[in-house]
Amino acid sequence: MRIFRLRSIRYKLLFWFLIIGLLPFVIFLFISLTEAKKAISINIQEDLRLRNLQTANLIEKEFEHLRKQSFLWSSYQIMDDILVGDIDKRIAKFIKKVKINSNLFIEILVLNKSGKIISSTKKEYLFKKFPIGLLTDYKFNPIEFYGQKYLFIFAPIYTSFRNLYIGNLVVLVYPKSLEMFSRTTKGYKFFVYSFQLPTYEPIDVDLELEKLLKNKKGHFLETEEFFIFYKKLSKKIFNADIFSISVVDKEFAFSPINTILHSIIFFGALGTAGIIIFSIIVSKLIINPLEQLTKFANSIAKTKDYSKRIEIPSEDEIQLLANAFNNLLDEIEKVIKELEIESKERLLLFTKLIEFFYNLTETQTKEEAINLLKQNIKSIFGYEVNFANKEESDSYCIDISYKDYRKNKTISEGFLCFKTGKKISQEEKAFLESISKMLSLWFEHISMLETLKELLQKAQASSKAKSIFIANMSHELRTPLNSIIGFSSLLEMAEDLSEEYKDMAKSIRVSSEHLLSLINDILDFAKAEANKIKPRIENVDLQEVFDEIYRIIEPIAKQKNLNVIFPKDLKIELPTDKKLLKQILLNLLSNAVKFTNEGYISISATEDKEKVQITVKDTGIGIAPKDLERIFKDFEQIESPLQKKHKGTGLGLALVKRLVKLLNGEIEVHSEGIGKGSEFVVILPKSQVNSISDSTI
């Protein structure tokens, strides 16, 4: 809890004084307000109920009177005029007079037996048809008649002479008649509400009355702002959900409590101020000596002068605390002096150990390391150290084992024995074991260096032999292959040779050209690996390079009906090796043609202040995401059903990456997956360092 995080005793005292002083007052105030509100709520409910019953009885009496009047009007002899053609004169005047004298807003209709309106106080309804199927009971029912909602009551009309049924008298009551019973007094509002009729709600309350009235059991509702009492009007009179509603504003209802609350808060604030003043006085008596002690402690922490002592004129617990603090300073001063002496000794020891470890890293052989260890342990600790083949009984011996990388196994060099002349502690044992571990690691380091040196010599010899062999073999194979390609081309052009033999000659030429391409890749890769390729930097016109490549690539792509998209009128120059750049782009475009069966291949270039970006794009077989990092590795070929028919050495893209790196550039590859094409991006700098001619791959 937050109260336990108060760091000042002064604030803690103030807090707890306030809690002890105000908590009972707050509890009493809360209980009093709760009980008062509960009592007022009960009184308000009863008052609302009585007022609501008065309003409901008044409405029911008024409508019951109208119902009785309707039956009285329908029994007048004047209604016999329905049987003759004198309707508009006498009956019309009669119902108009009745409407004027009514206390409610009404319209009166006179119907014949078929439901046709033959007389009406509202001319628009004259001769209209009234739904006589609704004339089922003698209650006020809701109806929507020609776009207007009403409550209606009817009374049958019989002749005065033979008591024959000749029609109906219908009284339509406007919903605004219900508003006549709405009224507002100080704090109270009374109104009528119906689900079926548009009624006026004279309260600003955020609630759905229809939902509340349907779901609420009983007659009393309470919202955040109002107390509401409702009563459903008598079903004997109304065949509709009509409610008499009484509302009182909570702010008005609880205004007496609020007045009392303001007075209580005022006196409570005075009491709080008194508690705060009292707590400040008490805290000063307690805190001032503690602050004096704290200031003294901070002074000592700042000056590091532990010879000072504090005197507090007091005879209570504060004086005891000051005496304990002075005793603590005595002990601290004593311990500090001892630590200073020990620290100097440890610092000297640590310096010697650092010097020993540094000298150990300078040794080249195991014998040098062992002799150095013996000398330093003797000078630092005074121990005699012996390196033996087995443990000595009068010494503490530690096995020196390390991994021999030549034999690829762990071997034991012997035991390092310390003649201490006494029983040593666990801390001393751990220290000596650390030194022995350091010696073991250094032996392992020496063994690893010797092994690496031998492996490096073997690898260099092997690489040199491989490069010589590849270069010689490639040269020896290229000469006969060129002859085979030449002779097979002549056979293809021979006129006296059958088509079968010409096809055989073509197969020989194609296979030989493929083999020659593989040999050239191997030879180029061998040269790159042997660091025999040195770039010659010059200003290169990129459009000129693109034009030369286009003349080589376009015929090959045309054989596969591929569109070739090259830029024109490029104005880009960059310092690079033209021959190497051409080889890089030819390799990428050749791959694009090889792995694209339909669509297009394209090349484009952009530049900014620092670099030139060349993009080679195709609509070919694409590359799976998992293979994007593999394709630039040596002798790597992606295993895909779409690529099985295109064989190669797997050195083309590896060579491209080496050449791009030789030009201080970068290469990226992008593909959305198999069958979605590929995009290679070569990024070259617009300024080359002077040492590029000395770069190695």
Side-chain angles (χ1 to χ4, degrees):
M1 292 177 64
R2 182 65 184 171
I3 59 174
F4 297 114
R5 297 181 184 175
L6 296 173
R7 296 182 178 180
S8 172
I9 296 178
R10 176 180 283 110
Y11 295 139
K12 289 181 180 178
L13 286 172
L14 175 60
F15 175 80
W16 286 111
F17 273 127
L18 288 173
I19 290 293
I20 295 170
L22 294 180
L23 186 60
F25 171 75
V26 172
I27 294 173
F28 170 76
L29 180 62
F30 175 76
I31 294 173
S32 299
L33 289 176
T34 303
E35 293 299 320
K37 284 188 175 182
K38 189 184 295 183
I40 288 176
S41 297
I42 294 171
N43 292 334
I44 286 292
Q45 290 184 42
E46 181 62 20
D47 187 42
L48 285 176
R49 186 184 71 81
L50 295 175
R51 291 171 182 259
N52 188 278
L53 289 177
Q54 292 176 359
T55 303
N57 290 336
L58 183 62
I59 296 170
E60 290 171 355
K61 286 180 180 179
E62 188 66 36
F63 276 82
E64 178 63 21
H65 176 70
L66 180 60
R67 180 168 64 175
K68 291 178 180 179
Q69 287 291 101
S70 300
F71 279 91
L72 180 62
W73 297 333
S74 67
S75 64
Y76 285 172
Q77 185 178 1
I78 195 173
M79 294 299 171
D80 292 344
D81 289 358
I82 295 175
L83 300 174
V84 298
D86 195 25
I87 295 172
D88 282 339
K89 293 180 180 179
R90 296 211 311 160
I91 294 181
K93 290 178 182 179
F94 171 71
I95 61 176
K96 184 177 181 181
K97 184 178 179 181
V98 168
K99 174 183 175 181
I100 294 171
N101 294 329
S102 176
N103 294 330
L104 303 175
F105 297 100
I106 62 172
E107 299 288 351
I108 302 175
L109 311 177
V110 179
L111 318 179
N112 61 18
K113 288 194 293 185
S114 65
K116 181 179 180 182
I117 301 172
I118 57 177
S119 184
S120 171
T121 56
K122 192 170 184 177
K123 292 182 179 180
E124 291 85 346
Y125 294 162
L126 198 59
F127 306 121
K128 302 288 186 181
K129 189 77 172 179
F130 190 87
I132 59 175
L134 298 178
L135 307 178
T136 57
D137 56 38
Y138 301 116
K139 300 178 183 179
F140 286 93
N141 289 276
I143 186 174
E144 184 171 351
F145 191 59
Y146 289 97
Q148 173 66 46
K149 291 186 176 181
Y150 299 97
L151 284 172
F152 78 91
I153 188 75
F154 80 97
I157 302 173
Y158 295 92
T159 60
S160 60
F161 49 91
R162 292 180 60 187
N163 203 28
L164 296 176
Y165 171 69
I166 58 175
N168 293 283
L169 176 76
V170 177
V171 179
L172 301 176
V173 182
Y174 284 95
K176 65 180 180 178
S177 297
L178 297 173
E179 296 176 15
M180 295 169 54
F181 301 96
S182 298
R183 68 186 187 277
T184 300
T185 61
K186 186 177 181 181
Y188 288 87
K189 294 183 176 68
F190 305 93
F191 63 96
V192 181
Y193 180 80
S194 174
F195 304 152
Q196 295 94 342
L197 298 172
T199 52
Y200 170 65
E201 301 172 34
I203 60 170
D204 182 17
V205 55
D206 185 18
L207 58 87
E208 298 177 10
L209 280 174
E210 180 174 350
K211 184 177 179 181
L212 285 173
L213 294 174
K214 282 185 176 180
N215 295 338
K216 182 73 175 179
K217 295 182 179 179
H219 300 282
F220 187 74
L221 300 174
E222 184 176 351
T223 68
E224 292 182 0
E225 300 179 36
F226 301 99
F227 290 120
I228 302 172
F229 187 88
Y230 68 93
K231 179 182 181 299
K232 189 173 182 180
L233 298 183
S234 174
K235 290 185 177 180
K236 295 180 180 180
I237 301 174
F238 297 97
N239 197 14
D241 292 327
I242 302 176
F243 297 87
S244 171
I245 299 177
S246 304
V247 177
V248 65
D249 193 319
K250 279 187 174 181
E251 185 176 352
F252 170 78
F254 294 138
S255 57
I257 295 179
N258 294 333
T259 302
I260 297 173
L261 181 61
H262 292 157
S263 300
I264 294 174
I265 290 174
F266 173 74
F267 289 108
L270 290 179
T272 303
I275 293 172
I276 293 173
I277 294 171
F278 176 75
S279 65
I280 291 173
I281 295 172
V282 173
S283 64
K284 275 190 175 183
L285 297 175
I286 299 174
I287 299 302
N288 286 348
L290 292 177
E291 287 182 342
Q292 185 181 353
L293 184 60
T294 302
K295 190 179 294 183
F296 177 75
N298 290 333
S299 173
I300 290 177
K302 187 175 181 180
T303 60
K304 310 298 182 185
D305 184 2
Y306 298 100
S307 61
K308 294 180 179 179
R309 298 296 181 266
I310 187 172
E311 292 293 335
I312 297 178
S314 175
E315 297 180 358
D316 54 15
E317 288 81 358
I318 302 296
Q319 180 63 51
L320 296 177
L321 180 61
N323 294 337
F325 189 76
N326 289 331
N327 293 334
L328 179 62
L329 287 175
D330 293 338
E331 292 298 321
I332 290 175
E333 190 175 10
K334 180 180 177 181
V335 170
I336 285 176
K337 290 179 180 179
E338 294 174 354
L339 286 176
E340 286 177 353
I341 297 171
E342 186 178 350
S343 177
K344 289 179 181 179
E345 294 175 352
R346 288 181 178 272
L347 181 60
L348 180 61
L349 176 62
F350 182 73
T351 304
K352 290 181 178 180
L353 286 174
I354 292 296
E355 186 179 355
F356 162 66
F357 288 138
Y358 174 76
N359 293 332
L360 182 64
T361 59
E362 295 293 318
T363 58
Q364 302 294 324
T365 63
K366 300 173 187 174
E367 291 74 14
E368 290 180 13
I370 292 172
N371 291 332
L372 180 66
L373 177 66
K374 290 179 179 180
Q375 295 171 6
N376 281 271
I377 294 298
K378 177 68 175 176
S379 63
I380 296 173
F381 299 103
Y383 300 159
E384 293 289 342
V385 182
N386 185 32
F387 200 82
N389 293 327
K390 61 180 181 178
E391 293 188 70
E392 297 178 352
S393 58
D394 59 343
S395 303
Y396 178 66
C397 299
I398 302 172
D399 181 34
I400 304 298
S401 299
Y402 66 95
K403 183 176 181 180
D404 189 332
Y405 285 91
R406 293 175 182 170
K407 300 177 182 179
N408 196 25
K409 66 178 183 178
T410 301
I411 62 173
S412 176
E413 188 70 19
F415 290 89
L416 194 62
C417 298
F418 301 91
K419 294 183 179 181
T420 61
K422 62 176 182 178
K423 186 177 181 180
I424 60 176
S425 65
Q426 291 296 325
E427 290 77 9
E428 290 177 307
K429 286 182 180 180
F431 186 77
L432 295 176
E433 286 174 0
S434 298
I435 293 176
S436 302
K437 182 66 175 177
M438 180 68 183
L439 186 64
S440 298
L441 291 174
W442 191 248
F443 282 2
E444 188 171 315
H445 173 74
I446 292 172
S447 173
M448 182 177 63
L449 288 178
E450 291 173 351
T451 305
L452 287 175
K453 187 175 180 180
E454 291 179 6
L455 291 175
L456 180 62
Q457 291 173 350
K458 291 179 181 179
Q460 289 174 341
S462 175
S463 177
K464 185 176 180 181
K466 179 196 70 174
S467 298
I468 294 171
F469 173 76
I470 290 175
N472 291 337
M473 287 300 298
S474 299
H475 178 74
E476 295 298 326
L477 289 172
R478 287 170 72 182
T479 302
L481 277 174
N482 284 326
S483 300
I484 293 171
I485 291 170
F487 282 121
S488 60
S489 298
L490 290 174
L491 288 174
E492 285 185 74
M493 294 186 291
E495 296 181 356
D496 56 346
L497 202 64
S498 66
E499 290 298 324
E500 181 181 357
Y501 285 108
K502 286 184 178 182
D503 290 340
M504 292 172 63
K506 182 178 180 181
S507 298
I508 294 171
R509 177 179 59 79
V510 171
S511 299
S512 299
E513 288 175 347
H514 177 65
L515 183 58
L516 182 60
S517 174
L518 298 181
I519 292 171
N520 286 334
D521 285 347
I522 294 172
L523 186 58
D524 289 341
F525 187 79
K527 286 180 180 179
E529 193 177 44
N531 297 331
K532 292 183 178 181
I533 299 177
K534 305 294 182 182
R536 298 176 59 189
I537 303 304
E538 58 181 326
N539 282 334
V540 176
D541 184 346
L542 202 57
Q543 183 62 54
E544 183 180 326
V545 175
F546 282 8
D547 291 341
E548 293 177 8
I549 296 173
Y550 179 80
R551 287 192 285 272
I552 298 171
I553 292 297
E554 195 273 339
I556 304 172
K558 192 173 182 181
Q559 294 177 3
K560 298 181 72 174
N561 295 322
L562 299 176
N563 292 327
V564 181
I565 303 172
F566 271 61
K568 296 180 180 180
D569 301 325
L570 274 178
K571 303 296 182 182
I572 299 177
E573 288 190 358
L574 74 156
T576 189
D577 186 307
K578 182 177 180 180
K579 181 180 178 182
L580 295 182
L581 177 61
K582 187 176 176 181
Q583 185 175 355
I584 291 168
L585 299 181
L586 274 173
N587 277 12
L588 293 176
L589 286 165
S590 298
N591 272 0
V593 173
K594 182 192 298 185
F595 295 110
T596 304
N597 295 322
E598 60 181 12
Y600 68 88
I601 62 169
S602 70
I603 187 171
S604 60
T606 58
E607 67 173 335
D608 57 29
K609 292 181 179 180
E610 298 179 354
K611 62 183 181 299
V612 174
Q613 182 171 298
I614 303 172
T615 303
V616 175
K617 191 174 182 180
D618 64 65
T619 57
I621 61 177
I623 305 168
K626 64 183 179 65
D627 296 324
L628 290 174
E629 295 183 1
R630 295 177 47 218
I631 60 172
F632 291 113
K633 293 183 179 179
D634 300 345
F635 301 101
E636 282 282 351
Q637 283 189 302
I638 300 171
E639 296 182 2
S640 169
L642 298 175
Q643 292 173 320
K644 285 186 177 179
K645 61 181 181 180
H646 302 290
K647 298 294 184 180
T649 60
L651 293 174
L653 291 176
L655 178 61
V656 165
K657 186 169 183 178
R658 287 175 179 265
L659 295 179
V660 170
K661 185 178 179 182
L662 190 62
L663 296 177
N664 287 338
E666 299 176 1
I667 185 168
E668 301 173 355
V669 59
H670 308 286
S671 178
E672 294 183 2
I674 300 298
K676 296 184 178 181
S678 305
E679 180 180 271
F680 289 83
V681 181
V682 178
I683 303 171
L684 297 174
K686 294 189 74 174
S687 61
Q688 296 283 8
V689 295
N690 295 330
S691 61
I692 191 169
S693 59
D694 299 326
S695 300
T696 58
I697 299 178

Short mmCIF file of all heavy atoms in Angstrom, two decimals, residues 142-174:
data_model
loop_
_atom_site.label_atom_id
_atom_site.label_comp_id
_atom_site.label_asym_id
_atom_site.label_seq_id
_atom_site.Cartn_x
_atom_site.Cartn_y
_atom_site.Cartn_z
N PRO A 142 -56.28 1.84 -29.05
CA PRO A 142 -55.42 2.64 -29.93
C PRO A 142 -55.71 2.32 -31.39
O PRO A 142 -56.02 1.17 -31.74
CB PRO A 142 -54.01 2.21 -29.53
CG PRO A 142 -54.16 0.82 -29.02
CD PRO A 142 -55.52 0.74 -28.40
N ILE A 143 -55.60 3.31 -32.23
CA ILE A 143 -55.80 3.11 -33.67
C ILE A 143 -55.00 4.16 -34.42
O ILE A 143 -54.80 5.28 -33.94
CB ILE A 143 -57.30 3.22 -34.04
CG1 ILE A 143 -57.51 2.86 -35.52
CG2 ILE A 143 -57.83 4.62 -33.75
CD1 ILE A 143 -58.96 2.80 -35.93
N GLU A 144 -54.50 3.77 -35.60
CA GLU A 144 -53.87 4.74 -36.51
C GLU A 144 -54.82 4.88 -37.70
O GLU A 144 -55.01 3.94 -38.48
CB GLU A 144 -52.49 4.26 -36.95
CG GLU A 144 -51.80 5.31 -37.81
CD GLU A 144 -50.34 4.95 -38.09
OE1 GLU A 144 -49.84 3.99 -37.49
OE2 GLU A 144 -49.72 5.65 -38.92
N PHE A 145 -55.42 6.05 -37.83
CA PHE A 145 -56.46 6.28 -38.83
C PHE A 145 -56.01 7.40 -39.76
O PHE A 145 -55.88 8.55 -39.34
CB PHE A 145 -57.77 6.64 -38.11
CG PHE A 145 -58.98 6.65 -39.02
CD1 PHE A 145 -59.36 5.51 -39.70
CD2 PHE A 145 -59.74 7.80 -39.19
CE1 PHE A 145 -60.47 5.52 -40.52
CE2 PHE A 145 -60.84 7.81 -40.01
CZ PHE A 145 -61.23 6.67 -40.68
N TYR A 146 -55.73 7.00 -41.00
CA TYR A 146 -55.27 7.94 -42.03
C TYR A 146 -54.09 8.78 -41.54
O TYR A 146 -54.09 10.02 -41.61
CB TYR A 146 -56.42 8.84 -42.51
CG TYR A 146 -57.43 8.08 -43.35
CD1 TYR A 146 -58.60 7.59 -42.78
CD2 TYR A 146 -57.18 7.84 -44.70
CE1 TYR A 146 -59.51 6.87 -43.53
CE2 TYR A 146 -58.10 7.12 -45.46
CZ TYR A 146 -59.26 6.64 -44.88
OH TYR A 146 -60.15 5.93 -45.64
N GLY A 147 -53.06 8.05 -41.00
CA GLY A 147 -51.81 8.71 -40.62
C GLY A 147 -51.82 9.36 -39.25
O GLY A 147 -50.79 9.91 -38.82
N GLN A 148 -52.92 9.36 -38.53
CA GLN A 148 -53.02 9.99 -37.21
C GLN A 148 -53.35 8.91 -36.18
O GLN A 148 -54.25 8.09 -36.40
CB GLN A 148 -54.10 11.08 -37.22
CG GLN A 148 -54.39 11.69 -35.87
CD GLN A 148 -53.21 12.49 -35.33
OE1 GLN A 148 -52.62 13.27 -36.04
NE2 GLN A 148 -52.86 12.25 -34.08
N LYS A 149 -52.64 8.92 -35.05
CA LYS A 149 -52.90 7.96 -33.99
C LYS A 149 -53.92 8.55 -33.01
O LYS A 149 -53.83 9.73 -32.64
CB LYS A 149 -51.61 7.59 -33.26
CG LYS A 149 -50.66 6.76 -34.11
CD LYS A 149 -49.46 6.30 -33.31
CE LYS A 149 -48.57 5.40 -34.15
NZ LYS A 149 -47.40 4.91 -33.41
N TYR A 150 -54.89 7.68 -32.59
CA TYR A 150 -55.95 8.09 -31.66
C TYR A 150 -56.18 6.99 -30.65
O TYR A 150 -55.75 5.84 -30.81
CB TYR A 150 -57.28 8.31 -32.40
CG TYR A 150 -57.28 9.37 -33.47
CD1 TYR A 150 -57.12 9.03 -34.80
CD2 TYR A 150 -57.50 10.70 -33.15
CE1 TYR A 150 -57.14 9.99 -35.79
CE2 TYR A 150 -57.54 11.68 -34.13
CZ TYR A 150 -57.36 11.32 -35.46
OH TYR A 150 -57.40 12.28 -36.42
N LEU A 151 -56.96 7.35 -29.61
CA LEU A 151 -57.70 6.38 -28.80
C LEU A 151 -59.16 6.51 -29.21
O LEU A 151 -59.65 7.64 -29.37
CB LEU A 151 -57.56 6.70 -27.31
CG LEU A 151 -56.22 6.34 -26.64
CD1 LEU A 151 -56.20 6.90 -25.23
CD2 LEU A 151 -56.02 4.84 -26.61
N PHE A 152 -59.86 5.38 -29.41
CA PHE A 152 -61.25 5.51 -29.86
C PHE A 152 -62.16 4.68 -28.97
O PHE A 152 -61.75 3.66 -28.39
CB PHE A 152 -61.38 5.10 -31.33
CG PHE A 152 -61.40 3.60 -31.57
CD1 PHE A 152 -62.61 2.89 -31.59
CD2 PHE A 152 -60.21 2.90 -31.74
CE1 PHE A 152 -62.61 1.54 -31.81
CE2 PHE A 152 -60.22 1.54 -31.95
CZ PHE A 152 -61.43 0.85 -32.00
N ILE A 153 -63.40 5.14 -28.89
CA ILE A 153 -64.49 4.43 -28.20
C ILE A 153 -65.71 4.51 -29.12
O ILE A 153 -65.87 5.47 -29.88
CB ILE A 153 -64.77 5.07 -26.83
CG1 ILE A 153 -65.75 4.21 -26.02
CG2 ILE A 153 -65.28 6.48 -26.95
CD1 ILE A 153 -65.15 2.98 -25.46
N PHE A 154 -66.54 3.47 -29.09
CA PHE A 154 -67.72 3.52 -29.97
C PHE A 154 -68.96 3.15 -29.15
O PHE A 154 -68.89 2.50 -28.11
CB PHE A 154 -67.54 2.58 -31.16
CG PHE A 154 -67.84 1.13 -30.84
CD1 PHE A 154 -69.08 0.56 -31.11
CD2 PHE A 154 -66.87 0.33 -30.22
CE1 PHE A 154 -69.33 -0.75 -30.81
CE2 PHE A 154 -67.12 -0.98 -29.92
CZ PHE A 154 -68.36 -1.54 -30.22
N ALA A 155 -70.09 3.57 -29.71
CA ALA A 155 -71.39 3.21 -29.13
C ALA A 155 -72.34 2.90 -30.29
O ALA A 155 -72.42 3.67 -31.27
CB ALA A 155 -71.93 4.35 -28.29
N PRO A 156 -73.03 1.79 -30.23
CA PRO A 156 -73.96 1.44 -31.32
C PRO A 156 -75.18 2.39 -31.32
O PRO A 156 -75.58 2.91 -30.28
CB PRO A 156 -74.37 0.01 -30.99
CG PRO A 156 -74.14 -0.13 -29.52
CD PRO A 156 -73.00 0.76 -29.18
N ILE A 157 -75.73 2.61 -32.50
CA ILE A 157 -76.89 3.50 -32.67
C ILE A 157 -78.10 2.64 -33.06
O ILE A 157 -78.02 1.84 -34.01
CB ILE A 157 -76.61 4.56 -33.75
CG1 ILE A 157 -75.36 5.40 -33.36
CG2 ILE A 157 -77.81 5.46 -33.95
CD1 ILE A 157 -74.92 6.35 -34.45
N TYR A 158 -79.18 2.82 -32.29
CA TYR A 158 -80.43 2.11 -32.57
C TYR A 158 -81.53 3.15 -32.82
O TYR A 158 -81.49 4.26 -32.27
CB TYR A 158 -80.83 1.22 -31.39
CG TYR A 158 -79.85 0.10 -31.13
CD1 TYR A 158 -78.80 0.27 -30.23
CD2 TYR A 158 -79.99 -1.13 -31.78
CE1 TYR A 158 -77.89 -0.74 -29.98
CE2 TYR A 158 -79.08 -2.15 -31.52
CZ TYR A 158 -78.05 -1.96 -30.63
OH TYR A 158 -77.16 -2.96 -30.38
N THR A 159 -82.53 2.78 -33.61
CA THR A 159 -83.65 3.70 -33.88
C THR A 159 -84.46 3.87 -32.61
O THR A 159 -84.53 2.97 -31.76
CB THR A 159 -84.54 3.16 -35.00
OG1 THR A 159 -85.05 1.89 -34.60
CG2 THR A 159 -83.76 3.02 -36.31
N SER A 160 -85.07 5.04 -32.48
CA SER A 160 -85.84 5.35 -31.27
C SER A 160 -87.23 4.74 -31.31
O SER A 160 -87.88 4.60 -30.28
CB SER A 160 -85.96 6.88 -31.11
OG SER A 160 -86.61 7.45 -32.23
N PHE A 161 -87.69 4.32 -32.50
CA PHE A 161 -89.08 3.85 -32.58
C PHE A 161 -89.16 2.33 -32.59
O PHE A 161 -90.06 1.76 -32.01
CB PHE A 161 -89.78 4.45 -33.83
CG PHE A 161 -89.00 4.31 -35.11
CD1 PHE A 161 -89.14 3.21 -35.94
CD2 PHE A 161 -88.09 5.30 -35.45
CE1 PHE A 161 -88.42 3.12 -37.09
CE2 PHE A 161 -87.37 5.20 -36.62
CZ PHE A 161 -87.53 4.10 -37.46
N ARG A 162 -88.23 1.61 -33.23
CA ARG A 162 -88.33 0.14 -33.25
C ARG A 162 -87.07 -0.55 -32.70
O ARG A 162 -86.95 -1.74 -32.77
CB ARG A 162 -88.58 -0.33 -34.69
CG ARG A 162 -89.95 0.09 -35.21
CD ARG A 162 -90.18 -0.39 -36.64
NE ARG A 162 -90.09 -1.84 -36.72
CZ ARG A 162 -90.12 -2.51 -37.87
NH1 ARG A 162 -90.24 -1.84 -39.01
NH2 ARG A 162 -90.05 -3.81 -37.88
N ASN A 163 -86.16 0.27 -32.18
CA ASN A 163 -84.91 -0.26 -31.60
C ASN A 163 -84.12 -1.13 -32.60
O ASN A 163 -83.64 -2.20 -32.29
CB ASN A 163 -85.22 -1.07 -30.34
CG ASN A 163 -83.97 -1.14 -29.44
OD1 ASN A 163 -83.15 -0.24 -29.47
ND2 ASN A 163 -83.86 -2.21 -28.67
N LEU A 164 -84.03 -0.59 -33.85
CA LEU A 164 -83.27 -1.29 -34.89
C LEU A 164 -81.84 -0.74 -34.96
O LEU A 164 -81.64 0.47 -34.87
CB LEU A 164 -83.96 -1.12 -36.25
CG LEU A 164 -85.35 -1.75 -36.39
CD1 LEU A 164 -85.94 -1.40 -37.74
CD2 LEU A 164 -85.28 -3.26 -36.21
N TYR A 165 -80.83 -1.64 -35.13
CA TYR A 165 -79.41 -1.23 -35.27
C TYR A 165 -79.21 -0.57 -36.63
O TYR A 165 -79.48 -1.17 -37.67
CB TYR A 165 -78.49 -2.44 -35.13
CG TYR A 165 -77.04 -2.15 -35.47
CD1 TYR A 165 -76.27 -1.34 -34.63
CD2 TYR A 165 -76.47 -2.67 -36.63
CE1 TYR A 165 -74.96 -1.07 -34.94
CE2 TYR A 165 -75.15 -2.40 -36.93
CZ TYR A 165 -74.39 -1.59 -36.08
OH TYR A 165 -73.09 -1.31 -36.39
N ILE A 166 -78.74 0.71 -36.61
CA ILE A 166 -78.57 1.42 -37.88
C ILE A 166 -77.15 1.96 -38.06
O ILE A 166 -76.84 2.53 -39.12
CB ILE A 166 -79.58 2.59 -37.98
CG1 ILE A 166 -79.37 3.55 -36.78
CG2 ILE A 166 -81.01 2.08 -38.04
CD1 ILE A 166 -80.24 4.79 -36.88
N GLY A 167 -76.24 1.82 -37.08
CA GLY A 167 -74.87 2.33 -37.25
C GLY A 167 -74.14 2.45 -35.92
O GLY A 167 -74.53 1.86 -34.92
N ASN A 168 -73.06 3.26 -35.95
CA ASN A 168 -72.22 3.43 -34.75
C ASN A 168 -71.77 4.88 -34.62
O ASN A 168 -71.55 5.58 -35.63
CB ASN A 168 -70.97 2.55 -34.83
CG ASN A 168 -71.29 1.08 -34.75
OD1 ASN A 168 -71.57 0.55 -33.70
ND2 ASN A 168 -71.27 0.42 -35.91
N LEU A 169 -71.63 5.28 -33.36
CA LEU A 169 -71.05 6.58 -33.05
C LEU A 169 -69.62 6.31 -32.54
O LEU A 169 -69.45 5.58 -31.57
CB LEU A 169 -71.85 7.30 -31.97
CG LEU A 169 -71.25 8.65 -31.51
CD1 LEU A 169 -71.51 9.71 -32.56
CD2 LEU A 169 -71.86 9.06 -30.18
N VAL A 170 -68.58 6.87 -33.22
CA VAL A 170 -67.18 6.65 -32.85
C VAL A 170 -66.59 7.97 -32.39
O VAL A 170 -66.71 8.98 -33.09
CB VAL A 170 -66.37 6.09 -34.04
CG1 VAL A 170 -64.90 5.95 -33.63
CG2 VAL A 170 -66.93 4.75 -34.48
N VAL A 171 -65.94 7.95 -31.20
CA VAL A 171 -65.26 9.13 -30.68
C VAL A 171 -63.75 8.87 -30.75
O VAL A 171 -63.25 7.90 -30.16
CB VAL A 171 -65.67 9.43 -29.23
CG1 VAL A 171 -64.92 10.66 -28.72
CG2 VAL A 171 -67.18 9.63 -29.14
N LEU A 172 -63.02 9.71 -31.51
CA LEU A 172 -61.56 9.63 -31.63
C LEU A 172 -60.94 10.65 -30.68
O LEU A 172 -61.24 11.84 -30.76
CB LEU A 172 -61.10 9.92 -33.06
CG LEU A 172 -61.66 9.00 -34.16
CD1 LEU A 172 -61.18 9.47 -35.52
CD2 LEU A 172 -61.24 7.56 -33.93
N VAL A 173 -60.08 10.17 -29.78
CA VAL A 173 -59.45 11.05 -28.79
C VAL A 173 -57.98 11.25 -29.20
O VAL A 173 -57.22 10.29 -29.35
CB VAL A 173 -59.50 10.43 -27.38
CG1 VAL A 173 -58.89 11.40 -26.37
CG2 VAL A 173 -60.94 10.09 -27.00
N TYR A 174 -57.57 12.51 -29.36
CA TYR A 174 -56.18 12.82 -29.71
C TYR A 174 -55.26 12.49 -28.53
O TYR A 174 -55.63 12.70 -27.35
CB TYR A 174 -56.03 14.30 -30.05
CG TYR A 174 -56.56 14.68 -31.42
CD1 TYR A 174 -57.86 15.17 -31.57
CD2 TYR A 174 -55.76 14.55 -32.55
CE1 TYR A 174 -58.34 15.53 -32.81
CE2 TYR A 174 -56.24 14.91 -33.80
CZ TYR A 174 -57.53 15.40 -33.94
OH TYR A 174 -57.99 15.75 -35.16
#
